[in-house]
Amino acid sequence: MGSYGNKYLVSKKVAGALLFFFVIWSVALALIVYYAGVQNNDASQDDAISAASSSSDGSSKKKDKVTDVRLPLHLVPEQYNLRLVPFIIPDNFTIKGDVEIVMLCEESGGQNITVHSADIEIENKTVIVQDQDNNIIPISRYSYDHAREFFILHLSQELVKGNRYSVKIKFTSYLKDNLKGFYRSVYTNKDTGKDEYIAVTQFQPTDARRAFPCFDEPGIKAKFQVSLGRRTDMSSISNMPIRDKGASMAGTTEYVWDHYENSVKMSTYLVAFVVSQFDYRESERGENNVLFRIWSRRDAVQQTEYARDIGPKILAFFEDYFKVPFPLPKQDMIAIPDFGAGAMENWGLITYRETALLFKNGVSAASNLQRIAIVVSHELAHQWFGNLVTPHWWTDLWLNEGFASYVEYLGVEAVQPQLKLLEQFIVNDLQDVLKLDALKTSHAISIPVKHPDEINEIFDRISYGKGASIIRMMDKFLTSETFKKGLTNYLNALKFSSAVQDDLWMHLTEQGHRDGTLRSDLTVKQVMDTWTLQTGFPLLTVTRNYGANSANIAQERFLLDQDQKSESRWWIPITFAEPGTTGFNNTYNNIWLNNNQWSSEVSGMPQKDKPVIFNVQQTGFYRVNYDKRNWELIAQSLNSDHKSIHVINRAQILDDALELAKVGRLDYRTALSLTGYLSQETEYIPWYSALSGLSHIKDMLKRTSAYGEFKQYMLKLLAPIYRKLGFQGKADDQHLDILLRKKIVSWACSMGHEDCIEKATSTFRNWMGMQNPDVEGKNPIDVNLKSVTYCTAMSQGGEKEWDFAWQRYENSNVATEKAN
């Protein structure tokens, strides 16, 4: 071997010898790996750690997802006795656990016990199976189905129907930082500047199996006896109250046990634990005697007051609304620093993002307060819809989320009426999801799902927003009293059990027929299947016969892509009203356009010089188009006396017209003629709808020569309401005034309104000039206009303004302040 510069030269003989030794070495290594693998495989059948510790997502080969992921039905769990010790220690972060599952055999012939397990190391030698007489049943072998996340015990004898069996398993799982399963969350202690860790759960939909082996399907319910080990300087909470706190743990003085009361019968995804150094505030007990506590980081516990005030009141409202008592003795709610979902309805222990639970007066905005009220109400509604009665499988997830997303508004309206949440439903949910559901890529509300990845995908605006919207529609076509009675019957009949949507339709139909609010030849299933099993929603086109005081109404699917065609038809509840009449107060329909009809004739239209408005208070989940003459009459009515049309219908008219223009079903001259009256409008809901629709025009014109004229038109509309509301908040502001001011100021500044820009930039400069800008309560910027002011000031400024704002973000201890 010689060298040439920085290169080495070898002879052919040396090269051949090197190649020979490389080949021999490669073969030897392959044999070693092979036999080691065989030995490990053999050991896994006997006494080694189970392959269950591997995760299916760790495979190097991409495989097709399995779809047959349901558990065998021969065994049903009745009781879990679960002990977990999370080691919240950097470079460890493990969980030592053991579980005993008592099961009832419902079908003879089975010769296996199959449970879910993922990312768990099971000690196979410790697994014991016993019959109801405590006789040990031999295990012939163990296996793990990675794709289905099954841990399977193959037994030496068949199981007998009607007999009970138990399985005991010891295992190790992991406190990962992936926001699922039993995971670790981290936050910075403001006093010490050090990172602090907590252990917390997020099991919905399919991640209880990452904490302990279990039957991890929503329709499989059991009771849970939980014991949590913890360090003596920490505390723990779970679904139920502690019956024995700080019990000694064998072999250590650093850790103790908290033993919890046995739970009610519930699904695995609702089981929850938290181990932390958090503090809490407790509410006074009401008539239901439920213990209510709000937990948070110790340096944020003063931000729990608002949730502590409204939480028990909303819980009491739902007890009265559903006519079913809350079944647990306590309700904890806790703000988690690292949390993937907005909140999670674990029974008796609801977990939240900090922004969804913590509120600080003078720092958090009115919109933050409203969000907290909505999320708290949503999660408490789940204690009945979802927890007490659970979807049998995730196909009917919308029964959970759609109902909670609707009745959350009722809970807030009852406890915080000044927020006017019921008015906001149409802009927060209905109109928002109409835009999404007009896409050809949308999906039906009730959609078959199989693989866990598919399950996660349907936690979306269709399940939540559209689900809520069609339930609101059902509330109106049945009447609220019939609707509530039907819900009570449903909950009482299926409590501590699971259901499919047809169970609910049956109970509502029976009540509707009893009350006479639903035609005897019609069922709720007939109507609602057209809304839950089909994708999309209808456009109702109204063509008036002015001489006969009648109208032809026709349905078709509304799509953003007008080249797409659809044969879908719906059962559509038909309501209409004339401006200036009491018709806007009646949302109950006597007329249907059914799913066998493309069109129908309707009588009782107003006189030919008066407009008609269909879909009273936008209770139906559909859009409405009219003949050109009726649109002109609506515009005239808005300009002459806009208050003669219900505020929700004013918002509906603007939203429908601008969306119809977007897809070419209405000319923009007509659509924009309806916005001209906005210079007189003072209500939040119509402005919200108008600005939402006009934002599309703004985006389309922004880089064209017409953008200047658009800005002039917008400033003309905005000027009167800007003058009325002003840039700064007022002592007598109503909640919707505050929300409207934020929208108007944002648009005014973005359209170049000189006074708006000057006030935003000067207020920001005043803040920058303060000696200590982080002192609480000293920020001169209106708490409800922070985001608008910050953005405007930085867009008009430079690096200095950016750096200042970033430092304020870093120094803040209030989550909602950072979110703003």
Side-chain angles (χ1 to χ4, degrees):
M1 182 168 63
S3 65
Y4 181 77
N6 62 350
K7 298 178 181 178
Y8 290 90
L9 304 176
V10 297
S11 67
K12 290 183 178 179
K13 288 183 179 180
V14 172
L18 289 173
L19 179 61
F20 173 79
F21 283 117
F22 176 77
V23 171
I24 294 298
W25 178 83
S26 298
V27 171
L29 180 61
L31 289 171
I32 291 169
V33 170
Y34 172 77
Y35 284 110
V38 170
Q39 185 176 4
N40 284 341
N41 285 340
D42 291 339
S44 72
Q45 298 297 321
D46 299 317
D47 58 2
I49 300 276
S50 168
S53 61
S54 300
S55 174
S56 58
D57 58 16
S59 173
S60 60
K61 285 188 178 181
K62 184 167 181 165
K63 298 178 181 178
D64 292 335
K65 290 177 182 175
V66 296
T67 56
D68 53 334
V69 297
R70 303 293 294 274
L71 288 167
L73 300 175
H74 62 290
L75 288 171
V76 175
E78 295 183 326
Q79 176 73 49
Y80 290 80
N81 298 313
L82 175 65
R83 300 196 310 167
L84 296 171
V85 185
F87 295 99
I88 312 173
I89 304 169
D91 300 323
N92 185 339
F93 293 130
T94 59
I95 306 161
K96 293 297 289 184
D98 60 79
V99 63
E100 177 187 21
I101 310 173
V102 179
M103 303 157 290
L104 175 66
C105 182
E106 294 197 334
E107 294 180 13
S108 292
Q111 207 166 333
N112 69 83
I113 297 174
T114 303
V115 295
H116 284 111
S117 177
D119 294 333
I120 291 176
E121 293 180 355
I122 293 174
E123 300 171 24
N124 290 346
K125 282 183 67 174
T126 69
V127 179
I128 299 172
V129 178
Q130 293 175 291
D131 64 17
Q132 59 194 19
D133 297 320
N134 294 324
N135 298 312
I136 291 178
I137 299 176
I139 302 169
S140 59
R141 64 187 179 94
Y142 314 86
S143 64
Y144 185 73
D145 185 332
H146 290 271
R148 294 169 181 80
E149 298 180 332
F150 287 172
F151 176 57
I152 307 166
L153 302 174
H154 301 271
L155 308 177
S156 63
Q157 64 188 60
E158 290 187 355
L159 303 174
V160 179
K161 181 178 180 180
N163 285 1
R164 284 178 171 78
Y165 299 88
S166 67
V167 59
K168 297 178 182 177
I169 305 171
K170 290 186 178 181
F171 57 90
T172 301
S173 50
Y174 298 91
L175 285 172
K176 296 186 177 182
D177 59 358
N178 56 359
L179 307 182
K180 62 184 181 180
F182 198 7
Y183 72 94
R184 69 180 187 265
S185 175
V186 62
Y187 63 98
T188 301
N189 186 311
K190 292 295 182 182
D191 295 328
T192 65
K194 295 180 179 179
D195 284 347
E196 302 280 359
Y197 293 94
I198 70 171
V200 60
T201 53
Q202 172 58 35
F203 288 163
Q204 190 185 47
T206 58
D207 291 315
R209 65 193 69 176
R210 300 181 189 281
F212 58 97
C214 57
F215 292 76
D216 199 13
E217 292 187 8
I220 303 177
K221 296 190 173 188
K223 295 183 177 182
F224 292 81
Q225 183 86 61
V226 173
S227 294
L228 294 175
R230 58 171 173 85
R231 291 201 323 252
T232 55
D233 62 337
M234 305 186 88
S235 63
S236 75
I237 43 178
S238 187
N239 305 85
M240 300 298 290
I242 295 176
R243 62 173 172 81
D244 187 4
K245 183 177 181 180
S248 62
M249 184 182 293
T252 180
T253 57
E254 295 182 15
Y255 284 78
V256 293
W257 287 108
D258 288 338
H259 300 296
Y260 288 84
E261 295 178 11
N262 206 18
S263 78
V264 296
K265 196 176 177 184
M266 64 183 184
S267 307
T268 49
Y269 80 88
L270 296 171
V271 177
F273 345 104
V274 179
V275 179
S276 71
Q277 292 181 311
F278 281 14
D279 203 355
Y280 68 88
R281 295 283 175 88
E282 185 177 323
S283 298
E284 291 186 13
R285 298 193 185 217
E287 292 181 8
N288 58 14
N289 201 36
V290 173
L291 172 66
F292 213 106
R293 299 179 297 186
I294 316 294
W295 297 73
S296 74
R297 294 177 284 115
R298 287 175 177 170
D299 54 10
V301 73
Q302 73 278 6
Q303 299 173 37
T304 63
E305 289 301 313
Y306 180 63
R308 186 179 75 147
D309 175 53
I310 65 170
K313 296 175 183 176
I314 293 174
L315 187 76
F317 166 78
F318 284 130
E319 284 190 304
D320 180 65
Y321 182 83
F322 293 123
K323 304 299 183 196
V324 177
F326 181 65
L328 302 187
K330 66 94 176 175
Q331 177 65 71
D332 285 307
M333 304 200 301
I334 184 167
I336 306 298
D338 291 330
F339 199 67
M344 177 60 210
E345 65 267 20
N346 314 299
W347 220 349
L349 173 51
I350 304 173
T351 45
Y352 295 81
R353 284 187 187 179
E354 289 193 335
T355 54
L357 191 66
L358 303 181
F359 180 85
K360 186 163 185 126
N361 278 316
V363 179
S364 304
S367 57
N368 301 133
L369 181 138
Q370 175 173 300
R371 170 167 164 72
I372 291 167
I374 288 174
V375 177
V376 167
S377 186
H378 181 99
E379 303 309 322
L380 289 174
H382 271 313
Q383 308 303 298
W384 286 265
F385 254 93
N387 297 11
L388 187 65
V389 180
T390 309
H392 187 70
W393 181 244
W394 297 110
T395 293
D396 289 317
L397 167 74
W398 82 275
L399 282 181
N400 269 18
E401 301 304 344
F403 261 92
S405 297
Y406 173 52
V407 300
E408 70 187 32
Y409 285 84
L410 305 181
V412 177
E413 187 75 12
V415 172
Q416 300 273 275
Q418 72 276 13
L419 300 184
K420 295 189 175 180
L421 250 292
L422 280 179
E423 281 188 26
Q424 296 183 60
F425 179 88
I426 66 154
V427 292
N428 291 345
D429 277 290
L430 190 149
Q431 292 180 2
D432 175 67
V433 80
L434 280 173
K435 294 176 176 62
L436 180 65
D437 206 26
L439 300 173
K440 63 181 179 181
T441 53
S442 186
H443 65 81
I445 289 178
S446 182
I447 181 170
V449 290
K450 296 175 181 177
H451 192 275
D453 289 350
E454 295 175 348
I455 297 166
N456 282 302
E457 288 167 3
I458 62 169
F459 282 80
D460 63 5
R461 289 295 295 147
I462 297 298
S463 295
Y464 285 71
K466 184 176 180 180
S469 298
I470 66 167
I471 288 162
R472 174 176 175 262
M473 179 175 70
M474 185 167 57
D475 183 344
K476 303 309 177 185
F477 76 65
L478 286 171
T479 74
S480 292
E481 282 306 307
T482 294
F483 179 70
K484 286 195 293 183
K485 290 176 188 175
L487 294 185
T488 300
N489 297 340
Y490 166 81
L491 291 170
N492 279 322
L494 294 162
K495 59 187 175 184
F496 303 113
S497 186
S498 62
V500 296
Q501 67 177 22
D502 284 359
D503 294 320
L504 179 60
W505 301 159
M506 179 188 71
H507 286 284
L508 291 171
T509 298
E510 289 174 353
Q511 193 62 50
H513 289 164
R514 274 195 295 270
D515 293 349
T517 55
L518 185 68
R519 278 173 19 195
S520 60
D521 64 338
L522 185 60
T523 68
V524 171
K525 177 177 171 58
Q526 283 176 268
V527 175
M528 296 304 290
D529 277 359
T530 67
W531 297 94
T532 63
L533 303 182
Q534 293 187 119
T535 304
F537 62 90
L539 168 67
L540 188 75
T541 299
V542 179
T543 306
R544 291 179 62 180
N545 183 332
Y546 291 90
N549 290 347
S550 64
N552 176 271
I553 55 174
Q555 66 164 303
E556 62 183 290
R557 183 179 174 189
F558 181 84
L559 283 160
L560 199 60
D561 181 355
Q562 289 293 294
D563 292 333
Q564 295 287 317
K565 301 300 178 185
S566 172
E567 294 299 311
S568 299
R569 285 177 287 186
W570 291 260
W571 276 86
I572 306 176
I574 303 298
T575 55
F576 55 86
E578 176 187 344
T581 68
T582 59
F584 286 107
N585 298 326
N586 183 16
T587 57
Y588 178 71
N589 67 292
N590 291 305
I591 303 170
W592 290 94
L593 185 61
N594 70 50
N595 67 333
N596 292 319
Q597 297 174 296
W598 286 111
S599 64
S600 181
E601 295 296 318
V602 178
S603 60
M605 294 296 103
Q607 295 299 310
K608 61 183 180 180
D609 59 342
K610 300 289 184 182
V612 66
I613 311 295
F614 273 70
N615 200 6
V616 171
Q617 295 188 38
Q618 204 169 8
T619 54
F621 190 72
Y622 56 91
R623 294 199 181 280
V624 185
N625 197 2
Y626 302 96
D627 59 80
K628 189 173 179 63
R629 173 63 179 154
N630 197 69
W631 278 120
E632 291 171 348
L633 291 170
I634 291 172
Q636 291 172 18
S637 187
L638 287 170
N639 285 316
S640 62
D641 181 12
H642 64 278
K643 293 183 179 179
S644 67
I645 299 174
H646 195 283
V647 63
I648 291 177
N649 282 106
R650 300 203 296 271
Q652 173 220 2
I653 289 164
L654 293 164
D655 186 62
D656 281 351
L658 290 168
E659 287 300 308
L660 288 164
K662 185 193 294 186
V663 300
R665 298 297 295 266
L666 184 66
D667 62 277
Y668 264 110
R669 182 182 297 276
T670 300
L672 289 173
S673 72
L674 297 160
T675 66
Y677 95 97
L678 285 169
S679 58
Q680 309 168 53
E681 182 62 80
T682 59
E683 294 285 349
Y684 173 69
I685 308 299
W687 268 111
Y688 188 111
S689 297
L691 294 175
S692 176
L694 290 165
S695 65
H696 174 73
I697 302 176
K698 180 179 77 170
D699 292 341
M700 294 299 101
L701 296 180
K702 202 162 192 176
R703 289 175 174 80
T704 71
S705 59
Y707 190 55
E709 293 180 53
F710 175 75
K711 289 170 69 175
Q712 290 177 6
Y713 178 70
M714 289 306 304
L715 288 171
K716 178 182 175 183
L717 295 181
L718 292 163
I721 190 65
Y722 179 85
R723 285 194 300 271
K724 179 180 185 299
L725 294 171
F727 188 88
Q728 289 292 128
K730 301 172 184 175
D732 61 348
D733 276 339
Q734 299 297 307
H735 179 69
L736 292 187
D737 293 335
I738 295 170
L739 299 187
L740 178 57
R741 178 182 292 108
K742 183 177 180 179
K743 280 204 169 291
I744 296 301
V745 167
S746 177
W747 267 79
C749 283
S750 70
M751 292 292 100
H753 192 289
E754 292 182 1
D755 182 75
C756 182
I757 293 172
E758 193 280 325
K759 281 186 167 61
T761 53
S762 63
T763 308
F764 193 84
R765 283 196 301 270
N766 291 341
W767 189 28
M768 291 179 67
M770 293 176 61
Q771 186 172 2
N772 190 350
D774 295 320
V775 174
E776 287 185 5
K778 298 299 183 181
N779 187 337
I781 298 170
D782 186 328
V783 67
N784 297 295
L785 294 177
K786 285 183 176 180
S787 60
V788 177
T789 304
Y790 297 167
C791 290
T792 302
M794 282 186 279
S795 69
Q796 299 292 316
E799 184 178 353
K800 184 179 179 182
E801 285 76 11
W802 168 261
D803 288 342
F804 175 82
W806 177 251
Q807 193 59 52
R808 304 289 72 72
Y809 175 88
E810 289 280 277
N811 293 350
S812 178
N813 183 42
V814 181
T816 51
E817 165 82 344
K818 293 186 174 186
N820 286 335

